[in-house]
Amino acid sequence: MSEPKTADAQYAIGVDNHLSIDQEGAMVHSDAKNEAVMEAVDHDYEGKPTDEELSTLRRVAGAIPMTAYVLCFVEFCERGSYYSATGVISNFVNRKLPVGGNGYGAPPRGTQQTAGALGLGTVKATAVSQSFKMLVYCLPVIFGYIADTYTGRYKMICWGVAVCGLAHILMIAAGAPGLLANGTAAAPYMISLYVLAIGAAMFKPNVSPTLLDQIKDTKPTVETLDDGEKVIIDPEATTERVVLWFYLLINVGGFLAVPSTYLEKYVGWMVTFTLPLAVYLPLPLVLWWLHKRLTLYPPGGSDLYNCFKVLGICLKKGFFKIGRHGFWDSAKPSVIAASGGNMQVPWNDQFVEDVRRTFQATGMFCFFPIQYINDNGLGIATDALSTMFITNGVPNDLLYNFNSLSIIIMAPVLNYGLYPLLRKYHIKFGPVARITFGLFLSACGGIGYTVLNYYAYKLGPCGDHGSSASCVDAEGVSLVAPISIWWLALPFSIGGISELFVNVPAYGIAYSRAPKNMRGLVTALNLFNTGIAYALGLAFAGLVTDPYLTWVFGGPTIIGFAMSALFWYLFKHIDEEEYLLSTNDDYHLEHQTSTSSIAPEPYNEKSPIDKETKV
């Protein structure tokens, strides 16, 4: 009798191949070919810098297509309409119709009163605001997955724009004076608000991956400039530059909340809610113009299932290696084959590396909620704080816009000043260092809120109940501390600058460290952590009130400093890595024929005459 053969299918199909019976196309796939493709991409390409060139040549950003700038304008329109509508939620829900006002929600001029409508109080206003924003940042996980798997990102963006348009129309109707007077404005306003949350959640996780899809630079490449200088076209610098433009336009849109605060203060709610609709109107036309000019990718089926299969294998074979070097190796086909295992998997080694990098990225995102809380306050704590100061006609929610103003000022400084200067002198200021600095900076902003609230309580006529509805005189007019509201500009500005160091690198991390068919989902996971911050605000809504506000600011500040140090300790090694964009095309192209994540020529509708702007 001959010696029994092992059940390992590798025996029959060869050590350099593997079997994929659950994929379209050929059943047997060549691992050797896959490895050769990856080696050609990663280790041998035209213009690849040598080790000496990597250490000595100046790194510069590459070309940014004009379509990328237009997508930034799309983001400006969507965010402008969003922020100009939502920046006034607190006053609309929290405050009553002002005594002696014009009936549209605006208070009489020359008083310290603020605009109002529903008069539900700070606790319910916190619940409404935080639940709305929690949906805005948590629902993208669902819509990002659907876009990756079924609809494609561009189509989901268009659907989101349509839903947002409906929400803006409903919101204008909710500001009608008849509804405000008889107390029936709550229902249409709440409906419009949560419809807007759905539309924003459809739009938000798909626009930044679509933007970064337009960038051609995926590997460092040596080029010679017109003046003869040899430089490295750095994909990380290119990503950083376009995302800084993207984030700048987000906050230019966010700055449109400024006219909203004046409109609510001096005109009323119907006109206030008409502004977001006016900003929104260019969106459909711009998206129609862009459609034939963008590099678009069809939905390729999500890699989420295979990601969890990889994780399951690693946990089963190396549970006690979690967080240590080699934890992910046990799911690599090459390791499985070398160990004599008989497990067949529909991925290659590079896909496992992509999964490792994806989980690493999501671990980094878990630190972001504390930055957001220190940036904006827990729940509507900053809204309550702003009602305790002398306004002298300044809308109490105007000061929030110093967050956007600081970003508008500092983004070009970083984009064309600090970062190019650091690259010129070969000073590495990697994404982990930037995020760590941003976390630290946001905690410094938290100190500002804590100190201001302490003195508002100490100096105010109502003591530690300065933001309560009962802090009024005999005529119902609000009483305030002898402190100018303009002091709030300082912590708001510090928080805004911190976002440039945290959120901008996060967009690049979410895109570059995710498998091709999960970029929408991983971007959504980044947004999801902002949703966690809002969920915490909702969970602690009962505490976001007098007399606890000083500790509502002080507690997260202390945590923020500790988390900054922990983040640096856990992830500092990533700054030593070369920026790598996942280009594991063979994993999809070899195994799938009709659902490739790389757009085929008929679908890839990038205009051949699309001009590029050198930066």
Side-chain angles (χ1 to χ4, degrees), residues 158-175:
C158 293
W159 289 354
V161 167
V163 172
C164 288
L166 174 63
H168 289 309
I169 294 171
L170 290 173
M171 197 170 288
I172 293 173

Side-chain angles (χ1 to χ4, degrees), residues 74-89 129-137 164 167-168 171 189 192-193 195-201 203-204 250 253-257 260 273 275-277 279-280 283 372 530 534:
V74 168
E75 177 73 357
F76 156 76
C77 291
E78 190 275 337
R79 290 289 92 182
S81 62
Y82 172 87
Y83 283 115
S84 56
T86 61
V88 295
I89 291 176
S129 175
Q130 300 304 292
S131 62
F132 162 75
K133 293 174 182 177
M134 182 180 67
L135 289 175
V136 168
Y137 289 98
C164 288
H168 289 309
M171 197 170 288
Y189 182 74
S192 69
L193 203 60
V195 170
L196 182 63
I198 294 172
F203 179 93
K204 192 63 178 170
I250 287 176
F255 205 66
L256 291 178
S260 288
F273 294 143
L275 174 63
L277 181 63
V279 177
Y280 157 88
L283 271 175
Y372 190 88
T530 303
Y534 285 118

Side-chain angles (χ1 to χ4, degrees), residues 544-560:
V544 184
T545 186
D546 295 325
Y548 310 115
L549 290 180
T550 299
W551 275 107
V552 166
F553 290 115
T557 298
I558 297 170
I559 296 172

Side-chain angles (χ1 to χ4, degrees), residues 476-508:
V477 177
S478 301
L479 298 173
V480 296
I483 302 173
S484 172
I485 196 172
W486 290 105
W487 281 104
L488 274 174
L490 184 61
F492 276 125
S493 298
I494 293 173
I497 296 171
S498 76
E499 292 179 27
L500 289 170
F501 292 99
V502 175
N503 293 345
V504 170
Y507 280 111

Side-chain angles (χ1 to χ4, degrees), residues 47 49 53 57-61 220-225 227-234:
E53 289 172 329
L57 295 184
R58 183 167 66 97
R59 296 183 180 231
V60 300
T221 305
V222 176
E223 289 190 9
T224 303
L225 301 181
D227 61 3
E229 180 189 5
K230 291 180 69 177
V231 297
I232 295 176
I233 305 298
D234 185 8

